[in-house]
Amino acid sequence: MGKKKGPKYNQIIDAAVTVIAKHGYHQAQVAKIAREAGVADGTIYLYFKNKEDILTSLFEEKMGRFVETIRTKIESCQTVDEKFLLLMTTHFEQLEADKQLAIVTQLELRQSNTDLRLKINDILKGYLTLMDELITEGKESGYFDPELDNRLARQMIFGTLDEVVTNWVMKDCKYDLSALAKPLHQMLLGGFCKR
Amino acid sequence: MGKKKGPKYNQIIDAAVTVIAKHGYHQAQVAKIAREAGVADGTIYLYFKNKEDILTSLFEEKMGRFVETIRTKIESCQTVDEKFLLLMTTHFEQLEADKQLAIVTQLELRQSNTDLRLKINDILKGYLTLMDELITEGKESGYFDPELDNRLARQMIFGTLDEVVTNWVMKDCKYDLSALAKPLHQMLLGGFCKR
Amino acid sequence: MGKKKGPKYNQIIDAAVTVIAKHGYHQAQVAKIAREAGVADGTIYLYFKNKEDILTSLFEEKMGRFVETIRTKIESCQTVDEKFLLLMTTHFEQLEADKQLAIVTQLELRQSNTDLRLKINDILKGYLTLMDELITEGKESGYFDPELDNRLARQMIFGTLDEVVTNWVMKDCKYDLSALAKPLHQMLLGGFCKR
Amino acid sequence: MGKKKGPKYNQIIDAAVTVIAKHGYHQAQVAKIAREAGVADGTIYLYFKNKEDILTSLFEEKMGRFVETIRTKIESCQTVDEKFLLLMTTHFEQLEADKQLAIVTQLELRQSNTDLRLKINDILKGYLTLMDELITEGKESGYFDPELDNRLARQMIFGTLDEVVTNWVMKDCKYDLSALAKPLHQMLLGGFCKR
DNA sequence: TATGAATGAGTATTCATTCAT
DNA sequence: GATGAATGAATACTCATTCAT
């Protein structure tokens, strides 16, 4: 069980995204996912331990490279300032590139029970670590306020990005999301106040 | 039906909060709520139309005055700066005052798929309007950057507050939440950068 | 209990007829009957043992005089032939006089469980006896075939009358029912065949 | 869903007949039918849309050929007189052949309030048409009174047959039903009166 | 590997009846 | 007598998971 191999593994995950995006979390039965994937119900259980495992694997597969992509990209930047802008831009671009997936991760999977949400948080932990490193770097380089509370700053960045993406998804993804990175970057780093 | 009167009405709502906080949204059966409230299953239906009506009434009863309380409190403030600080402090204090309720509204009720989410959004709409007014006031008074995008600023504030509270709840409410208002206020208004 | 006295007793029975005719047997809850009667739910149980007792009492009260009326009327007739015609005419006239009641007895009460239907049959027993007497009289007077099987003849008469009335009710009582007595009388006594 | 194939489909229908005949319509729970059929509750829903679908399918499967059988049989008869006798005999014989089924169709299924009654009426409609044709044929051949009212004659035949069968069922099917066809035939065609 | 038929635990809601006032 | 708030038993249907083929 759990043979994370073969084309069917990915077929099933993609089918889950499609079904959840189309019918919603509570109407995404295993049988429906199996039909969408073109396999028998029982086949699902050759690749996944149970239904929850489909959802967490979905999150892992689809979001696993999410953070890595960001980390790689910002390496090329010189300043913390630039790094932050690129982090946000890349965050938005990646979600903008797969709107169906955005619906699933921003809206539908949040209806799942608390256990699944804890696993999602685990996956996000790498993202929070990255932000933490950036904040520390900013503080050490003298660019950020040295009194900054890392945890709060991190929650502020993540909470903001998440809320902005969720609003975009709820407005049917019909405006340019990555264009918002720049003004947000300015607001996060410079605050609301005039200088 | 729907008598919305008598001590039993409140007994049942309080029982629902207790049961959901203790067992989670998906394990909060009507029978369990009835037992906790000390009434028969059928009695629930003398006071509520159906199970969902319990949850929406819970939200209305418990959170209905949330925004109004904040709006009233900040009226006494002179400056936008003070208003923002008081908004955040009051936001945190109200949730801190009933930790069980915080668990229910921040984590459990978000798993619902129904009209309840619409009702939650209704309440939030009033909150977003209030934030909007504050932001505009800040811009007009020359305190905020006149180029500030209201929608983004609003999402930044709300996303930050929500994320901070959710983290506090997931850490079992074991630190002082309202004490975070001040540093957050500084970060939101002044940004991460040193001045 | 079961004090078959007072105006409320009749109020409740009339309310039951109205409610059943309007909403159907399966939607005729005790609470609905009580409201229609203008009494409290509990009051019903001062006059009736239980819900089934309302229905059997309804049948007794409303249909009890049914047979007696027929019996009295046909006493004035000279011949069996006349008696039969008058029996059928009176049967139809009585049901035609209260169409709501006809709906209840012909359609709705038949959906009741087998126990109630047995009680209804008890009440009808007097009617069958009357028919039996008439058939015997017809045979003894030499008017009917002496070989006639009383039981079958009785079932034929009752089955025919019942089916004719039921069809009339299902066609919304919109044609003249008692006018059918005469041709039916001729068919029952003379048969389908030409003479 | 609704595979209408395989031995289980018939097992379930037969179990429904058995359970309803034994415990009555209102005590025929799905779980009881499943146990009698030797399958799990959920299996029922692989073969039937819902509980009502079991009952309508039961009626279709068991009574669907009822009228057709009669129609085929009487084709071989020469005279209307013979046709009528055979119609009645076949009607009785078919019900006599499965007494449990007779209980279900004559008594229990009549307590239903649903589409089932419409379905029953549909089947009966074909029967009434057949009777109509016979009556017309009798009139045209000069055998029946040309003044005969088809509708009334039809209701008289059907009402009589139905009443006779119902009485037989209520007397626990303990006498010879089809033997009654002959005397009834004589009474219907020749009337009660001596000739 | 793959199938898909079969499983059976789990739950919101109705409504006849009671009984304290 | 009269009330009506409270009771609680009873039931169809879904769907994640299994296992014989």
Side-chain angles (χ1 to χ4, degrees):
Chain A
M1 77 174 79
K3 302 184 63 167
K4 310 247 164 183
K5 288 279 153 60
K8 296 215 170 137
Y9 177 78
N10 291 315
Q11 267 173 49
I12 291 165
I13 284 187
D14 289 341
V17 175
T18 304
V19 169
I20 295 173
K22 192 168 166 189
H23 298 97
Y25 178 80
H26 291 290
Q27 279 306 306
Q29 296 89 347
V30 171
K32 215 178 262 172
I33 294 171
R35 203 182 320 130
E36 175 73 29
V39 301
D41 295 16
T43 305
I44 299 266
Y45 292 86
L46 298 174
Y47 294 90
F48 300 92
K49 211 166 102 257
N50 51 34
K51 186 179 180 179
E52 187 174 305
D53 188 31
I54 307 175
L55 304 178
T56 47
S57 301
L58 181 166
F59 204 83
E60 275 170 0
E61 286 290 322
K62 296 293 181 182
M63 301 303 285
R65 283 182 303 275
F66 185 85
V67 180
E68 227 33 58
T69 301
I70 295 175
R71 188 180 284 275
T72 306
K73 277 221 169 184
I74 64 178
E75 270 172 8
S76 61
C77 296
Q78 301 293 327
T79 66
V80 168
D81 182 273
E82 285 169 349
K83 284 180 179 172
F84 255 115
L85 177 58
L86 195 53
L87 177 146
M88 291 164 65
T89 307
T90 312
H91 182 132
F92 288 160
E93 280 175 353
Q94 289 191 85
L95 289 165
E96 211 165 16
D98 190 347
K99 293 178 180 177
Q100 226 180 25
L101 181 63
I103 295 171
V104 171
T105 56
Q106 297 295 129
L107 297 184
E108 300 301 336
L109 284 192
R110 315 230 164 166
Q111 296 171 43
S112 64
N113 62 44
T114 324
D115 285 350
L116 178 52
R117 297 223 306 289
L118 289 177
K119 295 200 180 164
I120 291 178
N121 281 342
D122 267 355
I123 298 177
L124 292 179
K125 210 159 274 179
Y127 198 19
L128 300 182
T129 304
L130 172 58
M131 290 181 183
D132 226 34
E133 293 165 9
L134 267 190
I135 294 163
T136 300
E137 184 181 339
K139 281 155 70 171
E140 289 174 348
S141 69
Y143 184 59
F144 285 176
D145 177 355
E147 305 293 326
L148 218 54
D149 179 314
N150 276 37
R151 186 174 46 110
L152 283 184
R154 190 208 305 149
Q155 288 171 14
M156 183 164 145
I157 300 166
F158 184 79
T160 297
L161 292 178
D162 196 58
E163 181 72 14
V164 167
V165 176
T166 298
N167 274 274
W168 170 75
V169 170
M170 297 208 309
K171 294 285 185 201
D172 294 324
C173 314
K174 63 184 172 219
Y175 51 84
D176 183 346
L177 179 60
S178 46
L180 303 178
K182 207 158 173 215
L184 275 174
H185 169 257
Q186 171 142 4
M187 286 159 73
L188 275 166
L189 267 52
F192 294 164
C193 295
K194 208 163 50 175
R195 301 222 160 198
Chain B
M1 69 178 87
K3 307 181 71 161
K4 308 259 169 189
K5 286 276 155 63
K8 298 234 164 96
Y9 177 77
N10 292 315
Q11 266 174 52
I12 292 164
I13 283 187
D14 290 340
V17 174
T18 303
V19 169
I20 294 173
K22 192 168 166 191
H23 298 96
Y25 179 79
H26 290 291
Q27 279 304 308
Q29 296 90 344
V30 171
K32 214 178 262 173
I33 294 171
R35 203 181 321 128
E36 174 74 30
V39 300
D41 294 16
T43 305
I44 299 267
Y45 294 88
L46 297 176
Y47 294 90
F48 300 92
K49 212 165 101 261
N50 49 35
K51 184 177 178 179
E52 186 176 305
D53 189 30
I54 308 176
L55 303 177
T56 45
S57 301
L58 182 166
F59 201 83
E60 276 173 357
E61 288 288 323
K62 297 293 183 182
M63 300 300 285
R65 282 180 301 276
F66 184 84
V67 180
E68 225 35 57
T69 300
I70 296 175
R71 189 180 281 275
T72 306
K73 277 221 170 184
I74 65 178
E75 269 172 8
S76 60
C77 297
Q78 300 293 327
T79 65
V80 167
D81 182 273
E82 288 169 347
K83 283 179 179 173
F84 255 115
L85 177 57
L86 194 53
L87 177 145
M88 291 164 64
T89 307
T90 312
H91 183 131
F92 288 159
E93 279 175 353
Q94 289 191 82
L95 290 166
E96 209 166 18
D98 190 346
K99 294 176 181 180
Q100 227 179 23
L101 181 64
I103 294 170
V104 172
T105 56
Q106 292 295 127
L107 297 183
E108 300 301 335
L109 285 193
R110 309 211 173 179
Q111 296 174 41
S112 70
N113 196 19
T114 54
D115 295 339
L116 180 49
R117 291 166 73 93
L118 294 177
K119 182 139 294 186
I120 292 177
N121 282 339
D122 264 357
I123 298 243
L124 295 183
K125 207 161 279 177
Y127 200 17
L128 300 182
T129 303
L130 172 56
M131 292 180 181
D132 226 35
E133 292 165 9
L134 268 189
I135 295 161
T136 300
E137 184 181 339
K139 281 156 69 172
E140 289 174 350
S141 68
Y143 184 60
F144 285 176
D145 176 356
E147 303 295 324
L148 219 54
D149 179 314
N150 275 41
R151 186 173 47 110
L152 283 183
R154 193 208 302 149
Q155 289 172 14
M156 184 166 146
I157 300 166
F158 183 79
T160 297
L161 292 177
D162 197 56
E163 181 71 15
V164 167
V165 175
T166 297
N167 273 274
W168 171 74
V169 169
M170 298 210 307
K171 293 287 185 201
D172 295 325
C173 314
K174 62 184 171 218
Y175 50 84
D176 182 348
L177 179 61
S178 47
L180 303 178
K182 207 158 174 211
L184 274 174
H185 169 257
Q186 171 141 6
M187 286 158 74
L188 276 167
L189 267 51
F192 294 165
C193 295
K194 205 164 54 174
R195 303 222 163 197
Chain C
M1 75 175 80
K3 299 184 64 164
K4 310 247 165 181
K5 287 282 154 57
K8 297 215 169 134
Y9 177 78
N10 290 316
Q11 266 174 50
I12 292 164
I13 284 186
D14 289 341
V17 174
T18 303
V19 169
I20 294 173
K22 192 168 166 189
H23 298 97
Y25 178 79
H26 291 288
Q27 280 305 306
Q29 296 90 347
V30 171
K32 215 178 260 173
I33 295 171
R35 202 181 324 128
E36 175 74 29
V39 301
D41 294 15
T43 306
I44 299 265
Y45 291 87
L46 299 175
Y47 293 90
F48 299 92
K49 209 165 103 259
N50 50 35
K51 186 180 179 179
E52 186 174 306
D53 188 30
I54 308 176
L55 303 178
T56 46
S57 300
L58 181 167
F59 203 83
E60 275 170 1
E61 286 290 322
K62 297 293 183 182
M63 300 304 283
R65 282 183 303 276
F66 184 84
V67 180
E68 226 34 58
T69 301
I70 295 175
R71 188 179 285 276
T72 305
K73 276 222 170 185
I74 65 177
E75 270 174 6
S76 62
C77 296
Q78 300 293 327
T79 65
V80 168
D81 182 273
E82 286 169 347
K83 285 179 178 173
F84 255 114
L85 178 57
L86 196 51
L87 176 146
M88 292 164 63
T89 308
T90 312
H91 183 132
F92 288 159
E93 281 174 351
Q94 290 190 85
L95 289 165
E96 212 165 17
D98 189 347
K99 293 177 181 179
Q100 226 181 24
L101 181 63
I103 294 170
V104 172
T105 56
Q106 296 294 131
L107 298 184
E108 300 300 337
L109 284 192
R110 314 227 165 169
Q111 296 172 42
S112 64
N113 61 44
T114 325
D115 285 350
L116 178 52
R117 298 224 306 289
L118 289 177
K119 294 201 181 165
I120 291 178
N121 281 342
D122 267 355
I123 298 177
L124 292 178
K125 211 160 273 178
Y127 197 19
L128 300 182
T129 305
L130 171 58
M131 290 182 183
D132 227 33
E133 291 166 10
L134 266 190
I135 294 163
T136 300
E137 184 181 339
K139 280 156 70 172
E140 288 175 349
S141 70
Y143 186 59
F144 285 175
D145 178 355
E147 303 294 325
L148 218 55
D149 178 316
N150 274 40
R151 186 173 47 111
L152 283 183
R154 192 208 304 150
Q155 289 172 12
M156 183 164 146
I157 301 166
F158 185 79
T160 298
L161 293 178
D162 196 58
E163 181 72 14
V164 168
V165 176
T166 297
N167 273 275
W168 171 75
V169 170
M170 298 209 307
K171 294 286 186 199
D172 294 326
C173 313
K174 64 184 171 218
Y175 51 84
D176 183 348
L177 179 62
S178 46
L180 302 178
K182 206 158 174 216
L184 274 174
H185 169 257
Q186 170 140 9
M187 286 158 72
L188 276 167
L189 268 52
F192 293 165
C193 296
K194 209 163 51 173
R195 302 221 163 199
Chain D
M1 72 177 87
K3 305 179 72 161
K4 309 258 169 191
K5 286 277 154 64
K8 298 235 163 95
Y9 177 77
N10 291 315
Q11 267 174 50
I12 293 164
I13 284 187
D14 290 340
V17 174
T18 304
V19 169
I20 294 174
K22 191 169 168 189
H23 298 97
Y25 179 80
H26 291 289
Q27 279 305 307
Q29 296 90 344
V30 171
K32 215 177 262 174
I33 294 171
R35 202 181 320 129
E36 174 74 29
V39 300
D41 293 17
T43 305
I44 299 267
Y45 294 88
L46 297 176
Y47 294 90
F48 300 92
K49 213 165 101 259
N50 49 36
K51 184 178 178 179
E52 184 175 307
D53 189 29
I54 308 176
L55 303 178
T56 45
S57 301
L58 181 165
F59 200 82
E60 275 172 356
E61 287 288 324
K62 297 292 184 183
M63 299 301 285
R65 283 180 301 275
F66 185 84
V67 179
E68 224 36 56
T69 301
I70 295 176
R71 189 180 282 275
T72 306
K73 277 222 169 183
I74 65 178
E75 268 172 7
S76 63
C77 298
Q78 301 293 328
T79 65
V80 169
D81 182 274
E82 286 169 346
K83 284 179 177 172
F84 256 114
L85 178 57
L86 195 52
L87 177 147
M88 292 164 63
T89 307
T90 311
H91 182 132
F92 289 158
E93 280 175 351
Q94 289 191 83
L95 290 165
E96 210 166 16
D98 190 346
K99 294 178 182 179
Q100 229 179 22
L101 181 63
I103 295 171
V104 171
T105 56
Q106 293 294 128
L107 298 183
E108 300 301 337
L109 286 192
R110 309 212 173 179
Q111 296 172 42
S112 70
N113 197 20
T114 54
D115 296 338
L116 180 49
R117 291 165 72 92
L118 294 176
K119 182 139 295 187
I120 292 178
N121 282 340
D122 263 356
I123 297 243
L124 295 182
K125 206 162 281 177
Y127 200 16
L128 300 183
T129 304
L130 172 57
M131 291 180 182
D132 226 35
E133 291 165 9
L134 269 189
I135 294 163
T136 300
E137 184 181 340
K139 280 155 70 170
E140 288 174 350
S141 69
Y143 185 60
F144 286 176
D145 178 355
E147 305 293 325
L148 218 55
D149 179 315
N150 276 39
R151 185 173 47 108
L152 283 182
R154 192 206 305 149
Q155 289 171 12
M156 183 165 146
I157 300 166
F158 183 79
T160 298
L161 293 177
D162 197 58
E163 180 73 14
V164 167
V165 176
T166 298
N167 273 274
W168 170 76
V169 169
M170 297 211 308
K171 294 286 185 198
D172 295 323
C173 314
K174 64 184 172 216
Y175 50 84
D176 183 348
L177 179 62
S178 47
L180 303 179
K182 207 158 172 213
L184 275 174
H185 169 257
Q186 170 142 7
M187 285 158 74
L188 276 167
L189 268 52
F192 294 164
C193 295
K194 206 163 53 175
R195 300 218 164 201

